[in-house]
Amino acid sequence: MASYSGISFGGLSSGIDTEGIITRLIQLEQIPISRLQQRQTQIQNQQAVYTQFRSKLQALSSAAGSLNSSTAFNPVTANSTKTEVATMTATSDAIAGTYNLAVSKLAQSQKVASTAQADSVSALNKSGQFVINGKAIQVDQTDSLRSIAQKVNGANAGVTASIIDGGTGSTYITFSTNSTGAKNTLQMADLSGDSILSDLGVLGGASNVRESITNGATSRSFSKSNETIGKMLGAEGVGPASFSINGTTVNIDLSTDNLQTIANSINSSVSGVNATVRSVTENGNTTYKLDIAGTSGTPTFSDESGNALAALGFIQRDSANQLVAAQDAEYSLDGVNLTSSSNTITSAIPNVTLTLLKANQSTPETSTLSLTKDDSAVKSKITAFKDAYNDAIDFIRTYSQFDKDTYASGPLFGDPVAAQLEQQVSSMLFSNVPGLTGNYTNLTSIGFNLDEQGKLTLDDGVLSNAVANGSADLANLFKTSGIGSNSSIQYVSSGSKTAANGSGSYEVNITALATKGSYVAESAQTTASTQAEYLTFTGSMIGATPYTLTINAGSNLTDTVNRINNDSKLKDLFVASIDGSGKLLVESKRYGTSGNFTLTSNLAAGADNTGIGTSSQGTVVTGSDIQGTINGEPATGNGQYLVGNSGNAKTEALQILFTGNTTGVVGSVSLRKGVGSQATDLMSTFLDSVNGILTASDNTLKAQYDDLATQITDLNSRIAVKEESLRAKFTRMEEAISKIQSQGSRLSALSTSNSS
């Protein structure tokens, strides 16, 4: 047998099909490999079934989890009899009720237009700056209506600029606010260079106070109180400007002055007027406004040069061509007249979002709004739990079948994981919830039962009665609930590893109470301040960005206390007062280390200021977290909250709130886990991605598959060696036969020669 370029020729000498013999022998050797590969395929099929099984259990866990909540048993349906007039949605905390709605006006945004222009693309040959909603827009000689609109839209000023092109001589630029409501009127002013807005016919002649306050006017909102006006506007080349208040001229410089220095200039120049900087916090965003109020009525305002009052938003020239006026929604609920800057209203009815869609000022549009308990939603969640369980059981049944004739079995036949799940869940479902009292202590009490196939059934009549009459008891049947032994101990939350104690209790031992952080000024203020002072709050209470509060010149200590306690942001975080020694005391409203803060001033402590000082040299009290144990197991404090440590045998993740003022054993807490909570916890033992039962089974199957792959590799290696050995042996045999044949031929030839 010879081999050329991997091609084998067998039996050339012997006439035996040596290649066929080798192939057959190797095929026999490969039979164990086929068996191993079949086992691998079985494992892959089993892994695929486990993947589907996991999804069934995840669905069951999700359905159970949706029942482990008080809100699941108090859903509210919101309905409007005329959805073309108004629609509404409600959270589970909404209170049932009926309201008569009448809508007179819808909130709308302001929209103004220019006069007719030649076209939208030709250069206007104008240069300068104008301000729109606190943003300076730079206009160059080459700018057209279209490029100005693009600049305005790129400024993110809450304004949309659009072009209406009606042909040559009939082109307009329009400006509309992105927010509705009367307070969201456009703030527009020519600032420097050519009077762009005036020349385009956007602004008219007369000026009026843009936003009134008691006896005065306020500016538009600015991001900082101590940043220059020019920088906050984004304006270029601005400088000195002047305006008059009650006929008295005030000189400022927009390139160097900020809100506070402008307030100082007004207070020092104009008698009978008080200018103050005010912070405003809305939706977590803090801005600053300059208020100017007269002591006996609203002052008169007039720009003299630089258009400073208009740029700051105190005054606004009339719109020459107003298309739509800014307007608040006007409506009534049960005869109570209300207004809103938005047509989407969240404050009128607690936990309800009301959306106004249609109005009529002369004959208000009406609709009846109703909030009713949605029993069907509760039943739907409970039914979904039943269906998810039955779906899992059906899956187990489908893949656990056994054919007694062929002995073929499903991947889950005899599977201990499936058997364990079914046994544990069915046992849990029909056992009383430990420690639970009331009308409903197990699932049978609300209409559940098992059929002959081990699947859940549900009596709709019994369930409907339970849902209608026992929301509190029904909720406790499914959710986790905790009870403190006295009013100072409140159950907050727990985790899957927290052990329920049923009718028992976990002792709460407090070793240290939570305290609040506070700061007492270095010195007492005895005279009114002579200059503005900036108090800066930093620390965990405030967040990453320091918060600066301006104390106006002329303030006494009572003014400062009121300033802090009424500030839109600080009032929710701190309480300011005057201590027994006459010093300013600022105390955190939050217990623990998360309530700590630092308070400093830009002025050294003195009798003519708050006495805070520049480096916190007053009396600092650091807030501390509560300390103690639950059930004798270690717990970590966070303010007045105590949480069982990870790894605790019974109380891991158990969180309580202690509001008492004593230490030692202060009481106990009882924890009950309802069916929904128990099912969720049980599913986590199967589904946990690290230590779950299914994860362990998956890992075992993978290890088996990998071991089979190793065996197959080893067998292939041995077969390759054997095949090489066989080929070598047959080659030697053919060579030997070939030699014998050659010798025979020579002998035959010699014999023939001798005979001749």
Side-chain angles (χ1 to χ4, degrees):
M1 181 177 63
S3 177
Y4 301 95
S5 301
I7 301 174
S8 298
F9 300 94
L12 294 179
S13 300
S14 64
I16 301 172
D17 184 9
T18 57
E19 186 62 30
I21 294 172
I22 293 172
T23 298
R24 181 58 182 157
L25 290 173
I26 295 302
Q27 287 175 343
L28 293 173
E29 293 288 337
Q30 289 175 332
I31 290 175
I33 292 179
S34 297
R35 292 171 179 166
L36 294 175
Q37 288 173 333
Q38 289 174 359
R39 177 57 186 145
Q40 280 187 314
T41 300
Q42 291 173 347
I43 290 175
Q44 287 177 320
N45 291 337
Q46 195 168 5
Q47 287 176 317
V49 169
Y50 266 114
T51 298
Q52 297 177 62
F53 191 29
R54 180 183 291 273
S55 69
K56 300 297 181 183
L57 299 190
Q58 287 171 335
L60 177 57
S61 178
S62 177
S66 69
L67 292 168
N68 185 23
S69 167
S70 298
T71 59
F73 298 90
N74 293 293
V76 173
T77 296
N79 182 63
S80 170
T81 57
K82 294 182 181 178
T83 55
E84 71 275 16
V85 174
T87 60
M88 67 175 184
T89 58
T91 69
S92 59
D93 296 322
I95 300 172
T98 302
Y99 305 86
N100 293 316
L101 170 71
V103 187
S104 302
K105 292 182 180 180
L106 293 180
Q108 57 191 29
S109 57
Q110 185 183 20
K111 188 171 188 177
V112 301
S114 68
T115 54
Q117 304 296 312
D119 57 56
S120 65
V121 295
S122 297
L124 296 172
N125 297 317
K126 297 181 182 299
S127 63
Q129 296 178 93
F130 65 86
V131 174
I132 186 163
N133 278 13
K135 301 287 186 179
I137 307 298
Q138 178 69 48
V139 178
D140 301 319
Q141 290 280 338
T142 56
D143 277 326
S144 63
L145 286 185
R146 187 171 299 180
S147 60
I148 290 175
Q150 291 171 339
K151 288 183 176 182
V152 170
N153 293 335
N156 296 319
V159 177
T160 298
S162 305
I163 300 296
I164 300 176
D165 195 341
T168 303
S170 298
T171 301
Y172 303 82
I173 185 171
T174 66
F175 302 95
S176 59
T177 56
N178 295 342
S179 299
T180 57
K183 71 176 182 179
N184 294 314
T185 57
L186 284 162
Q187 183 252 325
M188 309 179 77
D190 288 317
L191 183 60
S192 63
D194 291 331
S195 300
I196 310 295
L197 296 178
S198 299
D199 292 346
L200 290 174
V202 175
L203 295 179
S207 294
N208 299 287
V209 169
R210 180 177 176 275
E211 185 179 348
S212 298
I213 58 173
T214 302
N215 290 334
T218 186
S219 71
R220 68 162 292 101
S221 297
F222 289 90
S223 59
K224 297 180 180 179
S225 63
N226 54 1
E227 186 72 83
T228 66
I229 301 301
K231 186 172 183 179
M232 286 191 289
L233 292 176
E236 300 177 0
V238 293
S242 63
F243 53 85
S244 65
I245 301 177
N246 283 344
T248 300
T249 297
V250 179
N251 295 306
I252 65 170
D253 191 321
L254 294 176
S255 65
T256 58
D257 276 320
N258 57 42
L259 292 179
Q260 185 58 53
T261 58
I262 292 175
N264 295 342
S265 296
I266 294 171
N267 290 332
S268 63
S269 302
V270 186
S271 61
V273 168
N274 186 30
T276 58
V277 178
R278 169 170 54 99
S279 63
V280 179
T281 300
E282 292 182 351
N283 301 320
N285 181 44
T286 300
T287 56
Y288 300 86
K289 297 170 77 76
L290 175 58
D291 294 342
I292 304 175
T295 56
S296 57
T298 300
T300 59
F301 300 92
S302 178
D303 268 322
E304 295 181 352
S305 66
N307 288 335
L309 287 178
L312 289 166
F314 283 102
I315 60 176
Q316 177 65 56
R317 285 170 58 189
D318 292 340
S319 300
N321 187 16
Q322 179 170 266
L323 303 180
V324 181
Q327 175 177 284
D328 286 340
E330 295 182 5
Y331 65 103
S332 68
L333 285 172
D334 290 343
V336 178
N337 294 324
L338 302 167
T339 61
S340 170
S341 62
S342 170
N343 292 315
T344 301
I345 303 162
T346 59
S347 58
I349 305 174
N351 304 304
V352 170
T353 298
L354 175 64
T355 302
L356 306 180
L357 300 172
K358 188 178 182 182
N360 188 307
Q361 189 168 1
S362 58
T363 307
E365 298 286 349
T366 61
S367 181
T368 301
L369 310 178
S370 60
L371 297 167
T372 55
K373 182 185 174 186
D374 190 357
D375 288 349
S376 62
V378 178
K379 291 174 60 178
S380 177
K381 288 181 181 293
I382 295 174
T383 302
F385 173 69
K386 179 207 70 170
D387 291 342
Y389 174 77
N390 288 344
D391 193 32
I393 294 301
D394 280 339
F395 185 85
I396 293 173
R397 297 285 186 273
T398 298
Y399 288 95
S400 299
Q401 295 176 353
F402 176 76
D403 191 320
K404 59 183 176 55
D405 296 324
T406 64
Y407 299 101
S409 62
L412 295 181
F413 177 75
D415 186 274
V417 175
Q420 179 183 357
L421 171 80
E422 189 169 356
Q423 187 276 325
Q424 288 184 327
V425 173
S426 60
S427 173
M428 173 197 69
L429 293 179
F430 293 99
S431 298
N432 286 339
V433 175
L436 187 63
T437 59
N439 295 322
Y440 310 113
T441 58
N442 58 47
L443 289 185
T444 58
S445 61
I446 64 169
F448 276 86
N449 213 325
L450 282 176
D451 63 15
E452 63 278 1
Q453 296 178 335
K455 295 168 63 176
L456 290 176
T457 61
L458 187 54
D459 188 317
D460 184 73
V462 176
L463 177 62
S464 296
N465 184 66
V467 172
N469 299 322
S471 60
D473 287 347
L474 185 63
N476 288 335
L477 173 61
F478 285 97
K479 72 182 184 70
T480 299
S481 57
I483 301 176
S485 60
N486 56 64
S487 60
S488 64
I489 300 174
Q490 300 175 39
Y491 164 78
V492 178
S493 63
S494 57
S496 61
K497 296 183 180 179
T498 311
N501 50 24
S503 57
S505 61
Y506 292 140
E507 182 180 85
V508 178
N509 186 0
I510 303 300
T511 56
L513 296 172
T515 60
K516 297 178 180 178
S518 65
Y519 180 72
V520 177
E522 294 181 36
S523 61
Q525 181 178 1
T526 56
T527 62
S529 59
T530 57
Q531 59 181 312
E533 183 177 2
Y534 301 104
L535 302 184
T536 301
F537 294 77
T538 57
S540 55
M541 275 287 283
I542 297 298
T545 303
Y547 185 84
T548 299
L549 179 69
T550 303
I551 306 299
N552 297 310
S555 299
N556 58 35
L557 201 54
T558 299
D559 294 331
T560 300
V561 168
N562 292 334
R563 187 90 170 86
I564 294 172
N565 290 338
N566 292 305
D567 182 78
S568 57
K569 180 171 184 175
L570 299 179
K571 67 181 180 180
D572 296 323
L573 303 177
F574 303 98
V575 175
S577 60
I578 301 174
D579 76 351
S581 62
K583 298 178 182 179
L584 177 62
L585 166 63
V586 179
E587 184 180 48
S588 169
K589 284 189 174 183
R590 186 183 301 166
Y591 282 91
T593 55
S594 63
N596 287 331
F597 65 98
T598 300
L599 176 58
T600 58
S601 170
N602 65 316
L603 302 177
D608 61 348
N609 59 45
T610 62
I612 291 296
T614 59
S615 56
S616 301
Q617 295 301 306
T619 303
V620 177
V621 174
T622 301
S624 59
D625 296 316
I626 193 172
Q627 297 180 39
T629 61
I630 306 175
N631 195 43
E633 297 177 340
T636 300
N638 181 9
Q640 291 181 296
Y641 294 90
L642 199 60
V643 186
N645 287 357
S646 176
N648 285 356
K650 299 287 188 181
T651 62
E652 178 175 340
L654 174 59
Q655 182 175 198
I656 64 167
L657 171 65
F658 179 68
T659 58
N661 54 14
T662 59
T663 57
V665 177
V666 296
S668 61
V669 60
S670 298
L671 181 68
R672 304 167 305 197
K673 288 194 173 185
V675 175
S677 177
Q678 291 180 43
T680 302
D681 292 350
L682 178 59
M683 290 305 100
S684 69
T685 66
F686 286 88
L687 298 171
D688 186 276
S689 60
V690 177
N691 298 314
I693 295 172
L694 286 181
T695 300
S697 297
D698 286 339
N699 292 338
T700 298
L701 290 174
K702 184 179 183 302
Q704 291 176 1
Y705 185 91
D706 292 343
D707 181 63
L708 291 171
T710 300
Q711 293 181 49
I712 291 170
T713 300
D714 291 343
L715 282 173
N716 278 325
S717 297
R718 290 199 294 270
I719 290 170
V721 171
K722 186 165 188 176
E723 182 179 8
E724 184 178 354
S725 175
L726 286 172
R727 291 189 184 282
K729 289 178 179 179
F730 276 106
T731 298
R732 289 194 296 272
M733 181 192 74
E734 290 292 334
E735 289 174 348
I737 292 173
S738 178
K739 289 179 181 179
I740 293 172
Q741 289 174 338
S742 296
Q743 290 174 355
S745 296
R746 288 197 296 271
L747 289 173
S748 177
L750 180 60
S751 174
T752 301
S753 175
N754 290 335
S755 298
S756 299

